[in-house]
């Protein structure tokens, strides 16, 4: 009799502990649930641009950067737990205008009745746009058409400005005054981003019981100014001179075709470390811009998604 009471007592205690933890079924789903809302937000560098200076996020060689347009293709959000078989997923893909993103940001997915535990695996894609992509206002139909027709994961245009700026076309071309140089670049740089973690290194997100967690893939607007290809903490300086130097015909605009003609070694000096690029070696200025576009997907602001793969 005493033995039976001991077993019964153990069973009651185990059940009570399971209820506190959220009592799971065979898949790991728990009785305590909450909601997950996926937002897409732009880093401040997209609407505000970048200023010259010596600060951590300034352009170190004196150029001011302004964006006039910034479009991204994003979607296929997913989450999972490494301690269970539960998964979340929404394969929807959107073209979004990040230059004019609403103050409430873009909500691209909602999940209800989600187990109120930590989901330590989160990822999303910046794919090349295809017919059938969705959008949200204030993104326009013209924005969507541009991205689909070009097969772009990213399109941005704007300018760099510097009162005493110069353009020194390689190799060894004579420098000429260039106070303002425009750019308008569409990139088919489709990339997946996984193992996302916060800036503090905490993987994924926790779902609160009967509450909603905001999960924010964050798109940065300064990586093509970095002096290295980041895969973790952004320990880098920012330079823009290569854009001015790649204006080979001196018309005040650096084009994609010009970037493809410029050898990387001629515009990226010893201060650059271009190892670790996804998609192959960096041989031209265009290769550098594409490689940096494959690093744009961040998480909850400045958190990183270090596992990346090239998408067709």
């Amino acid at each position: 009799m005493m033995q039976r009471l001991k077993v019964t007592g153990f069973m009651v205690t185990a059940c009570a502990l399971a209820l506190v933890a959220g009592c799971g079924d065979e898949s790991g789903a728990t009785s305590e649930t909450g909601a997950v809302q996926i937002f897409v937000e732009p880093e401040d560098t997209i609407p505000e641009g970048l200023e010259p200076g010596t600060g951590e996020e300034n352009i170190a060689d004196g150029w001011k950067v302004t964006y006039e347009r910034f479009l991204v293709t994003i979607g296929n959000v997913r989450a999972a737990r490494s301690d269970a078989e539960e998964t979340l997923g929404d394969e929807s893909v959107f073209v979004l205008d990040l230059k004019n993103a609403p103050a409430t940001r873009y909500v691209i997915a909602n999940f209800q009745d989600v187990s109120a535990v930590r989901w330590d695996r989160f990822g999303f894609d910046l794919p090349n746009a295809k017919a059938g992509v969705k959008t949200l206002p204030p993104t326009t139909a013209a924005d969507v058409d541009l991205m689909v027709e070009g097969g772009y994961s990213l399109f941005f245009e704007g300018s760099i400005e510097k009162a005493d700026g110069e353009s020194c076309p390689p190799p060894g071309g004579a420098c000429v005054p260039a106070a303002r140089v425009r750019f308008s670049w569409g990139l088919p740089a489709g990339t997946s981003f996984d193992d996302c973690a916060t800036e503090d290194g905490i993987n994924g997100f926790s779902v609160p019981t009967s509450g909603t967690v905001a999960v924010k893939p964050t798109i940065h607007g300064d990586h093509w100014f970095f002096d290295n290809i980041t895969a973790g903490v952004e320990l880098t300086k920012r330079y823009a001179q290569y854009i001015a130097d790649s204006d080979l015909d001196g018309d005040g605009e650096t084009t994609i075709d010009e970037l493809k003609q410029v050898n990387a070694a001629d515009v990226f000096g010893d201060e650059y470390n271009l190892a670790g690029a996804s998609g192959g070696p960096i041989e031209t200025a265009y290769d550098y811009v594409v490689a940096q576009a494959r690093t744009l997907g961040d998480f909850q602001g400045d958190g990183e998604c270090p596992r990346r793969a090239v998408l067709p």
Side-chain angles (χ1 to χ4, degrees):
M1 183 69 173
M2 290 296 294
Q3 182 64 33
R4 180 177 177 80
L5 286 173
K6 286 181 180 179
V7 172
T8 303
F10 173 78
M11 291 174 68
V12 170
T13 301
C15 186
L17 290 173
L19 286 170
V20 170
C23 234
D25 63 19
E26 292 182 358
S27 72
T30 66
S31 58
E32 302 295 338
T33 64
V36 180
Q37 196 164 50
I38 310 295
F39 292 79
V40 175
E41 67 174 3
E43 184 194 36
D44 289 345
T45 56
I46 294 174
E48 298 176 8
L50 293 97
E51 295 292 331
T54 58
E56 185 176 319
E57 296 192 358
N58 292 148
I59 302 294
D61 54 7
W63 292 92
K64 175 182 173 63
V65 178
T66 303
Y67 291 112
E68 298 168 6
R69 199 175 186 190
F70 201 111
L71 307 175
V72 67
T73 309
I74 186 168
N76 191 27
V77 296
R78 51 199 175 266
R81 298 168 52 190
S82 57
D83 64 345
E85 297 180 1
E86 274 194 293
T87 61
L88 300 174
D90 188 328
E91 296 181 353
S92 301
V93 174
F94 297 80
V95 167
L96 301 176
D97 174 1
L98 297 188
K99 169 67 175 177
N100 298 300
T104 54
R105 304 316 188 202
Y106 294 105
V107 179
I108 62 170
N110 283 284
F111 301 99
Q112 303 295 324
D113 299 321
V114 178
S115 293
V117 295
R118 172 158 289 282
W119 295 72
D120 62 344
R121 294 161 56 192
F122 178 75
F124 61 94
D125 293 346
L126 298 182
N128 299 322
K130 298 179 181 178
V133 294
K134 300 179 180 181
T135 194
L136 294 167
T139 313
T140 67
D143 293 333
V144 175
D145 290 345
L146 172 67
M147 297 294 278
V148 172
E149 289 171 7
Y152 299 144
S153 62
L154 181 70
F155 177 90
F156 57 96
E157 60 185 359
S159 62
I160 59 172
E161 297 178 77
K162 184 179 179 181
D164 59 351
E166 290 186 322
S167 172
C168 305
C175 296
V176 297
R180 183 172 185 265
V181 180
R182 285 187 46 75
F183 50 81
S184 182
W185 299 342
L187 304 173
T191 308
S192 64
F193 296 84
D194 286 285
D195 294 342
C196 299
T198 67
E199 190 175 7
D200 296 329
I202 300 173
N203 287 346
F205 55 88
S206 289
V207 178
T209 301
S210 301
T212 301
V213 61
V215 179
K216 300 179 181 179
T218 308
I219 308 304
H220 285 209
D222 59 351
H223 287 206
W224 31 83
F225 303 110
F226 285 5
D227 65 2
N228 62 76
I229 309 295
T230 63
V233 179
E234 294 175 2
L235 299 176
T236 182
K237 289 189 176 181
R238 293 158 175 76
Y239 301 100
Q241 184 62 43
Y242 82 93
I243 296 177
D245 291 345
S246 297
D247 179 15
L248 301 181
D249 61 7
D251 68 349
E253 180 174 359
T254 295
T255 66
I256 288 288
D257 287 342
E258 287 174 318
L259 291 174
K260 291 179 177 179
Q261 297 176 53
V262 174
N263 290 327
D266 290 335
V267 289
F268 303 117
D270 294 340
E271 68 271 27
Y272 284 84
N273 178 1
L274 303 184
S278 299
I282 295 177
E283 298 179 350
T284 67
Y286 175 77
D287 294 337
Y288 163 84
V289 174
V290 170
Q292 295 292 23
R294 296 191 190 282
T295 71
L296 289 189
D298 279 20
F299 180 66
Q300 306 291 55
D302 288 324
E304 295 287 335
C305 303
R307 184 158 64 89
R308 306 162 183 161
V310 174
L311 296 176

